DNA sequence: TGTACATCAGTGAACGCGCGTTCACTGATGTAC
DNA sequence: TGTACATCAGTGAACGCGCGTTCACTGATGTAC
């Protein structure tokens, strides 16, 4: 019933601050040695806390990991959205932004698009975020002039919904293009981030750009 | 100086047998819960041995992992080679064989093409195997009629070696095609194996085939 | 403004667990004469 | 063929370590009258 006090009390603000520092350290761990290196004890040690103290902020290691996964998805969604808002919402722009985002933190990229974390199953809401990402890409693909010959034509079992007859075919081709966008760029990107181009005379940046050009124009 | 005895004594044969059973169990662990779940204690437990006994066969967990990685590479090389020997050495055939090999044991595929194992650096000879795989693919790509428009043209910094002037250009384009082969199919395959197509109306087998068709013919 | 109480951040110690690895050993299997 | 010895597979116990998590607690910070 109190109105004057702001919704975030100082205590609550401090709490959020510590929470975000914990996440920060967690990301450092993951960036250094992968997801399996995520350790509450380790975070407590580097923060100068007792490990029991962390449980004021996260009830378990799994909950922390869940939040990190969610943050990763939200970060990618946000990055793509702001790129679109800045006029770089076409395929070429989104492709570049995606690559930058991935290079910025490879382990974060793999948390989203990499092999699943062994004993871990993500919550339902990240599935919605995954769909949102595909929607952004699909929207960008709708602006591409016409269906290019360099994109696979898959017979996806899309039953024609009776309600949305207008533009349904366009959506389907846009979706196919979006899927190719994702798989092809992921192919280059994930091999690059894994260091599989190291011993080859092949610049991954050029290859990525070449694949992107092919998707956008041809 | 003994000539009559075979190079593999019964004891040595037994030894190899146990070694390979250890690896078998190791693969089961990896298939179940990923590379980080590889545990000498766990293997010993399931084999009914004391954990100390395993050290007769592998001097450390790292050595075991190294052998597994090497075996994975060799398995892929062998699979591609026998496919080629059976007349399926064209791109379409190799693509299908690659997919089968990956689906047969996803974690093995990721051991070869996935994100690097955190604290682990593979030995030098697996790099040679990686090159061998690319050579097989490049050879298959050399048989593709002409440079298709659906393949990215990257300006790779290939300095023209003076000794091998004949067919150098063809090799370069074949190599580019081979790299596209690897990245594009890896894009579909790794997302499929990671379960990222689960919530989408998209059959990964069809998408894979579509990408493969595009590479081979267009 | 001061006092009584509730909230909550953080501590220290302990729990059980599984890990990789070492060490001194037992006992069976091979080898040499 | 039998005996003496070397080789080697496998054991049992222990090492130190780090992990996630719980519990009873102290002390500071807020809140209500």
């Amino acid at each position: 019933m109190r109105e004057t006090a702001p919704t975030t009390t100082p205590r609550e603000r401090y709490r959020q601050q510590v929470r975000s520092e914990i996440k920060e350290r967690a990301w450092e761990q993951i960036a250094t040695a992968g997801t399996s290196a995520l350790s509450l004890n380790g975070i407590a040690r580097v923060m100068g806390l007792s490990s029991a103290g962390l449980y004021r902020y996260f009830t378990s290691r799994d909950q922390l990991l869940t939040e990190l996964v969610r943050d990763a998805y939200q970060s990618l969604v946000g990055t793509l959205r702001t790129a679109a808002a800045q006029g770089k919402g076409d395929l070429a722009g989104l492709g570049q932004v995606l690559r930058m985002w991935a290079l910025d933190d490879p382990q974060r990229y793999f948390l989203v698009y990499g092999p699943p974390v062994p004993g871990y199953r993500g919550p339902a809401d990240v599935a919605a975020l995954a769909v949102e990402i595909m929607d952004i890409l699909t929207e960008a693909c709708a602006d591409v002039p016409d269906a290019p010959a360099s994109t696979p034509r898959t017979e996806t079992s899309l039953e024609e919904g009776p309600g949305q007859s207008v533009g349904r075919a366009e959506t389907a081709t846009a979706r196919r293009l979006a899927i190719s966008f994702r798989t092809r760029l992921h192919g280059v990107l994930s091999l690059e981030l894994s260091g599989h181009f190291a011993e080859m005379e092949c610049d991954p940046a050029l290859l990525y750009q070449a694949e992107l050009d092919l998707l956008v124009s041809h």
Side-chain angles (χ1 to χ4, degrees), chain A:
Chain A
M1 299 298 183
R2 38 198 193 66
E3 320 262 327
T4 48
T7 54
T8 62
T9 86
R11 225 183 212 169
E12 185 62 23
R13 232 176 36 225
Y14 175 74
R15 187 179 167 74
Q16 295 307 324
Q17 192 174 319
V18 175
R19 271 182 69 93
S20 72
E21 181 176 352
I22 293 172
K23 287 193 197 172
E24 200 103 355
R25 304 288 164 248
W27 280 117
E28 290 173 9
Q29 285 187 337
I30 291 179
T32 303
T35 314
S36 62
L38 176 63
S39 146
L40 296 187
N41 283 342
I43 294 172
R45 206 178 304 124
V46 84
M47 283 181 70
L49 289 184
S50 68
S51 54
L54 278 192
Y55 285 80
R56 291 265 159 211
Y57 299 94
F58 295 93
T59 67
S60 70
R61 180 185 184 273
D62 249 35
Q63 194 209 327
L64 174 56
L65 182 54
T66 294
E67 289 213 17
L68 294 178
V69 170
R70 202 196 327 267
D71 287 356
Y73 272 91
Q74 279 173 346
S75 166
L76 180 52
V77 168
T79 301
L80 294 178
R81 284 222 178 286
T82 63
Q86 292 171 0
K88 297 194 290 183
D90 56 333
L91 272 194
L94 292 184
Q96 283 305 329
V97 163
L98 174 65
R99 183 157 189 273
M100 289 300 108
W101 185 82
L103 292 180
D104 189 49
D105 190 340
Q107 293 294 337
R108 185 180 55 180
Y109 179 84
F110 282 125
L111 215 50
V112 172
Y113 287 129
V117 177
Y120 174 76
R121 201 70 215 122
D125 59 327
V126 309
L129 289 171
V131 168
E132 193 173 349
I133 292 170
M134 281 312 288
D135 285 346
I136 297 174
L137 297 185
T138 304
E139 195 173 349
C141 290
D143 297 339
V144 168
D146 55 347
S150 61
T151 283
R153 318 194 140 271
T154 332
E155 325 291 338
T156 53
S157 58
L158 275 175
E159 63 274 7
E160 292 283 338
Q164 321 145 301
S165 56
V166 181
R168 199 73 168 92
E170 289 81 36
T171 310
T173 60
R175 192 147 205 91
R176 276 201 295 270
L177 184 55
I179 290 175
S180 280
F181 180 91
R182 196 167 78 128
T183 59
R184 286 194 191 173
L185 296 188
H186 171 73
V188 181
L189 212 41
S190 75
L191 287 175
E192 174 183 7
L193 296 179
S194 301
H196 283 290
F197 287 124
E199 308 102 351
M200 299 180 53
E201 64 276 13
C202 174
D203 185 344
L206 291 179
L207 180 55
Y208 188 90
Q209 189 61 52
E211 288 282 15
L212 188 49
D213 289 346
L214 211 67
L215 280 165
V216 73
S217 65
H218 227 308

